Amino acid sequence: MTTSQERLADYARLAVRVGLNLQPGQVLAVNALLEHAPFARAVAREAYAAGAQFVDVLYTDQHVRRVHIEGASEDGLDWSPPWLVKRLDDLGESGGALLGITGNPEPEIFGDLDGVRVGRARMRAVSEASLRLTDGLCNWSVVSCPTEGWARTVFGEPDLERLWDAVASAVRLDEPDPVAAWRTHIGNLVQRAGSLNDRRFDALRYRGPGTDLTIGLHPESTWIAASDDVRGIEYVPNMPTEEVFTTPDARRVDGTVRATYPLQLQGTIVRGLEVRFENGRAVDVQADHGEQLMRTHVATDDGAARLGEVALVDGSSRVGRSGIVFYDTLFDENASSHIALGMAVLQAVDGSSSLSPDERQTRGVNHSSIHTDFMIGSTELEVSGVDTHGHETPILRGGDWVL
């Protein structure tokens, strides 16, 4: 039987060797919560075994963040420490790697605070530096670490073993050869993305309970899946991953969409989210819980109210088949089709990385300091591809991929 230390070591090996594909001599930066320390230490040990030059772990204490939201001045509320921005910029310039660890042990720690203040306290300059870094400047990955607090949110009790089992299945850690299983999985997703690229749809049409939405696509955009490449290093940005995704035309989004999963955002769980779009912009945002925070979030900057990503996930997803709502976007977005407000996936539109923010916006490639996915898929959601003549081709029906 695998011990907890062996499990941490196996998971760290998967994150370092497959997720990051860390190379000898690289500096690795790790972002984690205090509660993730045991896993962060296992990652550091594996990273040095892989030849890392240095491992820098930055821990966040959510209770200190709460005190900041409650007590900071108006000027200090959204201030970004310049050394944290420099940390990320230096990592990109030096050819380092970045690992983010999610799995919030207290996902509603800010839920009772003023939503406007919570929305503003997000260190915008640090977020912008992070988005720059992950736009082709480094190999990076995001994984989740089970904690008792997270398990309590998911299951109503601190059943840590049950959560570990669910996470292990989702990231294929339960396979006899997880690395080989990932290679096969990546190949299947890449093939699916290729089928969409062959069709060159002009738009996607979504129909379902509370949803009637049309999202325009770029003629030159590319559907992406599973893995990415930077400086010849192939890596997997998200573990788990079950999606194929691209950048939409941020000017051509119209209709209404209803979220099908809760959204964990800035220490708050947003429930019952509905968004109405006109000419690409979110003009009405409503939610049963967390509405004030969500409206503040969408008003962060000019691009925060427009879409930067569309992603399709079908019923074969290991995360979706678990039937578990994880209250963690990394997992829930891989259980369900989703869209993202904010920054575009620049790799999906050739040449967009070299454009200025204004040039991107003119071209319909969104620019923002946020990138917030929310889940809209279900077995009741129908997704069709629309060609330039308005003809529709089924892509998802009843949760199944039918293209």
Side-chain angles (χ1 to χ4, degrees), residues 30-70:
V30 180
N31 295 335
L33 296 176
L34 291 176
E35 293 84 353
H36 300 151
F39 181 52
R41 293 170 192 145
V43 166
R45 188 173 295 109
E46 184 62 31
Y48 282 117
Q53 179 181 344
F54 189 81
V55 179
D56 173 59
V57 181
L58 177 64
Y59 289 112
T60 295
D61 185 331
Q62 293 195 108
H63 289 269
V64 173
R65 290 293 298 160
R66 181 182 171 93
V67 171
H68 172 76
I69 295 167
E70 290 176 315

Side-chain angles (χ1 to χ4, degrees), residues 15-319:
V16 171
R17 306 284 182 168
V18 176
L20 292 169
N21 190 14
L22 192 73
Q23 301 297 298
Q26 280 195 297
V27 172
L28 172 61
V30 180
N31 295 335
L33 296 176
L34 291 176
E35 293 84 353
H36 300 151
F39 181 52
R41 293 170 192 145
V43 166
R45 188 173 295 109
E46 184 62 31
Y48 282 117
Q53 179 181 344
F54 189 81
V55 179
D56 173 59
V57 181
L58 177 64
Y59 289 112
T60 295
D61 185 331
Q62 293 195 108
H63 289 269
V64 173
R65 290 293 298 160
R66 181 182 171 93
V67 171
H68 172 76
I69 295 167
E70 290 176 315
S73 67
E74 287 299 311
D75 290 340
L77 188 61
D78 56 1
W79 182 71
S80 293
W83 57 89
L84 293 183
V85 175
K86 190 174 187 302
R87 172 180 181 257
L88 296 171
D89 288 343
D90 286 351
L91 195 68
E93 291 173 6
S94 65
L98 176 67
L99 182 70
I101 302 176
T102 71
N104 198 320
E106 297 179 86
E108 293 189 274
I109 188 172
F110 308 147
D112 62 331
L113 301 182
D114 178 75
V116 173
R117 287 184 65 85
V118 173
R120 286 186 56 205
R122 52 178 298 273
M123 296 195 291
R124 176 174 171 174
V126 176
S127 297
E128 290 173 340
S130 180
L131 288 171
R132 286 196 301 271
L133 182 64
T134 55
D135 175 33
L137 294 181
C138 79
N139 43 319
W140 60 277
S141 191
V142 183
V143 296
S144 293
C145 176
T147 62
E148 288 190 356
W150 183 19
R152 186 179 293 108
T153 299
V154 174
F155 301 124
E157 57 182 356
D159 193 340
L160 186 58
E161 287 302 311
R162 184 180 174 191
L163 183 57
W164 262 112
D165 288 344
V167 168
S169 175
V171 301
R172 291 168 167 77
L173 195 60
D174 59 346
E175 293 284 343
D177 187 343
V179 175
W182 268 96
R183 290 195 186 113
T184 299
H185 179 54
I186 290 170
N188 291 337
L189 289 176
V190 168
Q191 185 177 32
R192 178 168 290 180
S195 69
L196 287 166
N197 288 325
D198 290 342
R199 297 295 185 121
R200 309 308 308 175
F201 289 122
D202 178 63
L204 296 178
R205 181 73 186 273
Y206 297 79
R207 297 184 183 91
T211 294
D212 189 349
L213 184 71
T214 300
I215 301 176
L217 301 176
H218 292 280
E220 69 275 28
S221 65
T222 300
W223 286 88
I224 302 171
S227 64
D228 208 337
D229 182 283
V230 62
R231 299 187 308 276
I233 303 170
E234 186 175 352
Y235 63 97
V236 180
N238 290 345
M239 301 185 80
T241 185
E242 301 284 350
E243 62 182 317
V244 292
F245 58 96
T246 192
T247 293
D249 187 334
R251 303 162 298 185
R252 299 169 53 214
V253 183
D254 290 279
T256 302
V257 62
R258 178 182 296 171
T260 52
Y261 279 67
L263 171 63
Q264 202 282 324
L265 178 68
Q266 292 182 249
T268 304
I269 295 178
V270 179
R271 294 180 170 89
L273 177 64
E274 293 189 18
V275 184
R276 181 167 59 86
F277 291 88
E278 289 182 3
N279 298 318
R281 179 172 290 278
V283 296
D284 186 34
V285 177
Q286 299 183 27
D288 296 334
H289 180 76
E291 182 176 294
Q292 189 180 43
L293 168 62
M294 199 66 202
R295 289 186 172 182
T296 301
H297 194 63
V298 171
T300 298
D301 53 44
D302 187 61
R306 295 183 183 274
L307 293 184
E309 179 189 349
V310 291
L312 300 177
V313 179
D314 78 340
S316 68
S317 161
R318 282 195 176 204
V319 186

Side-chain angles (χ1 to χ4, degrees), residues 354-383:
S354 61
L355 299 178
S356 70
D358 288 342
E359 289 172 329
R360 290 174 192 162
Q361 293 294 69
T362 300
R363 193 173 166 185
V365 179
N366 202 32
H367 182 82
S368 176
S369 64
I370 74 165
H371 182 91
T372 302
D373 300 274
F374 65 96
M375 288 56 73
I376 65 173
S378 73
T379 56
E380 297 178 280
L381 181 73
E382 295 185 350
V383 182

